[in-house]
Amino acid sequence: MDAIDRKILSLLQENAKLNTKEIAEKVGLTLSPTFERIKKLEQQQYIKGYVALVDGGMLGRSITVFCQISLFKHSKELIENFKKEVGSLPEIISCHHVSGNYDFLLKVAVSNMNEYQNFVVEKLSVIQGISNMQSSFVMEEIKNENGWVW
Amino acid sequence: MDAIDRKILSLLQENAKLNTKEIAEKVGLTLSPTFERIKKLEQQQYIKGYVALVDGGMLGRSITVFCQISLFKHSKELIENFKKEVGSLPEIISCHHVSGNYDFLLKVAVSNMNEYQNFVVEKLSVIQGISNMQSSFVMEEIKNENGWVW
DNA sequence: CTTGAAAAATGTCCCGT
DNA sequence: ACGGGACATTTTTCAAG
């Protein structure tokens, strides 16, 4: 992992469609070593995968909500169960277990308010152990980087 | 935009390395129409781009923090300035303008506590108009989907 | 949409250095 | 580790049914 590898990561995390030739030029190497470096970065899992970024809004999922969740108590059982439920709900884009005033931070994307209400009432609030919930609606996405390399 | 287009989006957002042939098989079409559908989805910006997912932890960025920010008042000036500053700070992975008890939710990734302290003291708290800040450290990432199609 | 074909571009691997 | 070159696969375009 040297400066060239980092440059390659940085290029690919911006645009995965760059081909080996283009990357080779940008990092100042020829095809072969560039190809091998990319393969090595994939094998060693510096690159976890390649994905297409899909515009959620164009597909109707225009409401994004951050949802803070607190549990009654921090028993292993409740936490494990909560994690399991979160995994099965497709409305939940991300979920982090955090320290501080609440326990979990959810990012939820739905098509409309009806769907959000249904999500909260029928799917979220029925999970065992939840003591408190607080929703913050996203008015604007100011930044959302894929980037971990700089 | 029909069921097949949605299937293609769903496949590509999981794995952008699938080639046209593989996608064609999975959606039950032949090469030509599949190829054209993909191109159309790209042109119409249903697909915003293709990126490599890089493992931040392997590069040393092991601390993730969610940071709630409140402004003194909601003047256009302060908000615009805040947005500008956010854009220039690479530690900030994402930033959303939200409704509710606070104004902005930041996701920040750094290498260690020193770097976080430095980020807060030298870079964040110097931005005009901030009245309150609250950090929640991520203990575990339970879910973090790329997926908007299901 | 399907089939088939063909050229251009890329990806992939082997062998020198 | 790098570079060159050979070969396989894919991408991309096109025509006809």
Side-chain angles (χ1 to χ4, degrees), chain A residues 8-39:
Chain A
I8 292 175
L9 287 177
S10 156
L11 290 166
L12 284 175
Q13 88 176 347
E14 265 197 23
N15 179 12
K17 282 294 173 189
L18 291 172
N19 61 37
T20 318
K21 195 170 149 196
E22 291 167 315
I23 292 174
E25 283 166 9
K26 286 175 197 290
V27 301
L29 289 177
T30 50
L31 254 154
S32 305
T34 307
F35 178 74
E36 279 160 23
R37 278 168 182 268
I38 295 171
K39 287 302 148 196

Side-chain angles (χ1 to χ4, degrees), chain B residues 3 6-7 19 31-32 37 41 69 80 91 110 113 115 133 143:
Chain B
R6 220 163 291 134
K7 182 87 183 282
N19 62 36
L31 250 155
S32 306
R37 278 168 183 267
L41 290 170
I69 310 263
E80 288 304 319
E91 292 91 344
V110 290
M113 274 297 167
E115 201 175 313
M133 245 179 70
K143 187 177 189 174

Side-chain angles (χ1 to χ4, degrees), chain A residues 112-122:
Chain A
N112 52 55
M113 274 296 167
N114 242 325
E115 202 176 312
Y116 187 64
Q117 189 199 12
N118 183 63
F119 169 75
V120 170
V121 175
E122 304 287 343

Side-chain angles (χ1 to χ4, degrees), chain B residues 114-130:
Chain B
N114 242 324
E115 201 175 313
Y116 187 64
Q117 189 199 12
N118 183 63
F119 169 75
V120 170
V121 175
E122 303 288 341
K123 301 184 176 180
L124 204 53
S125 65
V126 299
I127 300 176
Q128 284 182 346
I130 294 181

